[in-house]
Amino acid sequence: MNHKFLLSLLAFLASFNFYASAQKKPNVIIIYADDLGYGDLSCYGATKIKTPNIDALAKNGLRFTNGHATAATCTPSRYSLMTGRYAWRKKGTGVLPGDAALIVPTDNTSLPSIFQQAGYKTGLVGKWHLGLGTAVEKDWNKEVKPGPKEVGFDYSFIFPATADRVPTVFMENQLVVGLDAKDPITVDYKNPIGTDPTGKDHPELLKMPAEVNHGHNMTIVNGIGRIGYMQGGKLARWTDEELPFTFLTKAKNFIEDHKEQPFFLYYALTEPHVPRLPATMFKGKSELGYRGDVILQLDWAVGEITKQLKYLGLDKNTMIIFSSDNGPVIMDGYEDQGAEKLNGHSPAGPLRGGKYSILEGGTREPFIISWPAKIKPGVSDALVSQIDFLASFAGFFNLESKNAIDSKNQWNAFIGKDQKGRDFFIEQSGQLAIVKDHWKYIRPSKGEAYYKLTHTDSGNLPAAQLYNLSDDVGEKNNLASKYPEKIKELEALLSAEEARTR
């Protein structure tokens, strides 16, 4: 063979391999925290707590200062993430009980189904809270469907709702893990069932007392009163302190099993949602009480994932998206000294409000995207939302998205090539607000101005509110009386969006 030809051939093959490598689809991991605030991370300004692993993600990727969940509570935010639709468009998408039916349509495009169409293996590990089955009445002792599989996940390892709601069991591929057939599970959210003690009748059995009027005083599991009643499944019930290790192990197993092919992993952590029961290795580590401890626990889990990716050689071509489902809450049902041990920490940072609130603290979240192969490190002020992941990945893969009418292709914003992002965005709590060009309009509301149970500014006022977020991110200066035309413009846009069906 001619020497020059051989060299040319080798050069061509080398360039081909480089091109193929450069064009390889990225692995995608969404790490989704629960009730984590804009100010809960040191990379977002926290000084009383250090989160080095999440900080490293931010340092190596894009840290967004105007990134949002769609709602100030968990179920509607997760619904929007999965469907690309605002949850207020559909009835029954408020915070679900643990026995709710599936609310994600199985005949529309979903976020995981986009990845399936693109040839990815899809996995879900952690909190679900979008319902299971077709009705409230369901048999927990066999496969419960429809569920994550019918929505687009090839593999799932979840708990059904939240850590403070029954059934307190793990489910793998929609079957309860470790269930004894002789001890079947029954769940009821209206009437007491079974012989298990309740927090209401036996507070002396609780290792963490429930606050009054929050509803965390029903069936006791692992020394914690839960919302809802449960009987059976004794061997299947989890221990709260093991949740982080169990979910992390399953997430790492999924990555290991699919390291040779593109994968999408939705890793939905429970921290820092109540009940906050950190593993022993994190207790007392934060000096901010159990809430601070579980944030350190969350940060550790993120570090374990990034270390695994580096060990497997997947770190450069894996996109990690880190965010939270809604803003922070300190007092949310259990006496865990969350307020007493804040130690000067501000969970929402410079924002007002938090979980349950229409103010920015309700939906503006930590929002970090790291993809070393493609994204240059930096900070972005672009207006972006988790609802846009569906349309953005569909666009990246040249796929169509069916009925994801509120999801916008913000790919260029997500990779740092567009600093503006969305034209406008709608936020949800008990009512709606709209943000456009840094102006935020909150509709008048008859709701409470201050939620006493959770010690949260709600943002509810009987009069319209208008804020210029570019110089008043803390929403302290209501400009409604000064700019009535701006109110009229934003109300018209919000009303038009409410009326839109496609």
Side-chain angles (χ1 to χ4, degrees):
M1 183 179 287
N2 183 284
H3 183 64
K4 287 186 177 180
F5 176 77
L6 181 59
L7 288 175
S8 298
L9 180 61
L10 290 173
F12 170 77
L13 290 174
S15 67
F16 177 81
N17 286 337
F18 173 79
Y19 178 81
S21 174
Q23 294 301 310
K24 184 183 177 185
K25 295 173 183 176
N27 304 306
V28 178
I29 302 175
I30 294 178
I31 303 178
Y32 209 50
D34 196 352
D35 293 358
L36 188 74
Y38 187 87
D40 274 329
L41 307 175
S42 38
C43 57
Y44 277 88
T47 58
K48 299 293 184 178
I49 192 168
K50 298 296 181 186
T51 49
N53 295 300
I54 300 172
D55 292 359
L57 272 186
K59 183 180 179 182
N60 296 320
L62 271 181
R63 181 175 67 83
F64 290 84
T65 61
N66 201 7
H68 291 258
T70 58
T73 50
C74 50
T75 296
S77 291
R78 291 162 195 267
Y79 175 86
S80 296
L81 175 72
M82 288 293 121
T83 66
R85 295 175 67 95
Y86 288 122
W88 46 262
R89 294 194 187 278
K90 179 177 178 175
K91 290 182 179 179
T93 56
V95 179
L96 295 180
D99 58 353
L102 179 69
I103 61 171
V104 179
T106 57
D107 56 349
N108 288 347
T109 303
S110 68
L111 181 60
S113 73
I114 286 291
F115 283 95
Q116 282 185 329
Q117 291 176 58
Y120 281 60
K121 285 296 182 181
T122 57
L124 157 64
V125 174
K127 173 179 172 176
W128 179 233
H129 208 188
L130 290 168
L132 295 165
T134 57
V136 169
E137 294 293 329
K138 59 179 65 76
D139 186 351
W140 293 96
N141 308 288
K142 60 182 182 181
E143 184 183 11
V144 183
K145 59 183 182 181
K149 180 181 178 182
E150 288 74 22
V151 167
F153 287 107
D154 298 312
Y155 171 80
S156 64
F157 188 97
I158 65 171
F159 60 55
T162 59
D164 58 344
R165 285 172 170 79
V166 299
T168 51
V169 294
F170 295 120
M171 300 184 75
E172 189 164 31
N173 295 327
Q174 297 166 211
L175 288 165
V176 173
V177 176
L179 182 63
D180 180 356
K182 298 177 183 177
D183 186 26
I185 294 172
T186 307
V187 172
D188 197 307
Y189 270 73
K190 294 180 180 178
N191 304 301
I193 55 173
T195 58
D196 288 55
T198 64
K200 179 181 178 181
D201 295 332
H202 292 279
E204 76 280 0
L205 299 178
L206 299 173
K207 59 184 180 184
M208 183 180 286
E211 290 185 273
V212 178
N213 298 325
H214 276 263
H216 294 90
N217 62 353
M218 300 177 194
T219 298
I220 297 173
V221 179
N222 185 36
I224 302 294
R226 313 287 169 162
I227 298 174
Y229 299 100
M230 174 183 179
Q231 70 173 342
K234 289 288 195 303
L235 294 177
R237 300 183 187 189
W238 74 55
T239 301
D240 298 75
E241 293 86 343
E242 75 165 323
L243 286 174
F245 304 106
T246 304
F247 285 149
L248 176 63
T249 298
K250 293 298 180 179
K252 291 176 72 174
N253 287 349
F254 180 83
I255 293 170
E256 174 69 32
D257 291 344
H258 301 291
K259 62 187 177 184
E260 302 292 342
Q261 62 192 123
F263 64 80
F264 166 63
L265 172 62
Y266 172 43
Y267 181 29
L269 304 174
T270 183
E271 297 93 345
H273 194 283
V274 297
R276 301 167 189 134
L277 281 172
T280 301
M281 64 186 279
F282 294 103
K283 284 182 180 173
K285 296 295 184 182
S286 70
E287 298 183 357
L288 298 181
Y290 280 178
R291 185 175 186 276
D293 295 346
V294 298
I295 291 174
L296 295 187
Q297 184 169 277
L298 180 159
D299 182 70
W300 165 80
V302 171
E304 292 298 297
I305 293 292
T306 56
K307 279 194 289 187
Q308 184 195 23
L309 292 171
K310 189 169 185 178
Y311 174 77
L312 294 174
L314 301 176
D315 52 319
K316 295 290 190 291
N317 199 38
T318 296
M319 176 187 280
I320 298 179
I321 299 169
F322 179 89
S323 197
S324 177
D325 62 350
N326 51 250
V329 60
I330 305 306
M331 309 297 290
D332 205 24
Y334 297 99
E335 295 179 9
D336 62 2
Q337 295 190 296
E340 296 90 331
K341 293 190 175 181
L342 267 178
N343 193 28
H345 174 60
S346 178
L351 310 177
R352 270 182 71 205
K355 185 177 183 180
Y356 310 113
S357 170
I358 196 62
L359 297 164
E360 286 297 282
T363 66
R364 192 182 294 218
E365 313 301 338
F367 201 115
I368 298 165
I369 302 182
S370 171
W371 182 16
K374 294 290 183 181
I375 295 178
K376 293 180 180 178
V379 178
S380 175
D381 297 326
L383 175 62
V384 293
S385 172
Q386 299 156 10
I387 200 172
D388 298 322
F389 293 148
L390 199 159
S392 299
F393 281 108
F396 178 66
F397 297 131
N398 293 313
L399 297 170
E400 292 187 9
S401 52
K402 179 184 176 185
N403 290 326
I405 64 172
D406 300 305
S407 190
K408 309 299 180 187
N409 188 342
Q410 295 297 324
W411 184 259
N412 284 336
F414 289 147
I415 64 172
K417 292 185 176 180
D418 169 24
Q419 293 296 312
K420 181 180 183 293
R422 281 182 150 259
D423 291 330
F424 63 88
F425 176 65
I426 298 173
E427 302 173 0
Q428 175 190 357
S429 67
Q431 78 273 41
L432 300 179
I434 188 167
V435 177
K436 186 177 188 295
D437 298 330
H438 296 288
W439 287 99
K440 177 172 177 178
Y441 161 62
I442 304 175
R443 276 180 169 162
S445 170
K446 296 178 181 178
E448 300 173 78
Y450 184 78
Y451 294 136
K452 297 182 182 67
L453 278 180
T454 57
H455 307 272
T456 307
D457 283 337
S458 70
N460 296 325
L461 285 179
Q465 297 172 73
L466 181 70
Y467 300 101
N468 186 342
L469 299 177
S470 60
D471 57 19
D472 182 25
V473 74
E475 295 168 283
K476 297 174 182 176
N477 186 18
N478 185 2
L479 301 173
S481 61
K482 192 174 181 180
Y483 297 100
E485 290 304 311
K486 181 60 70 173
I487 292 276
K488 187 182 294 185
E489 172 199 340
L490 293 175
E491 172 58 45
L493 180 57
L494 182 53
S495 295
E497 278 300 299
E498 282 186 296
R500 188 166 65 92
T501 58
R502 53 185 301 173

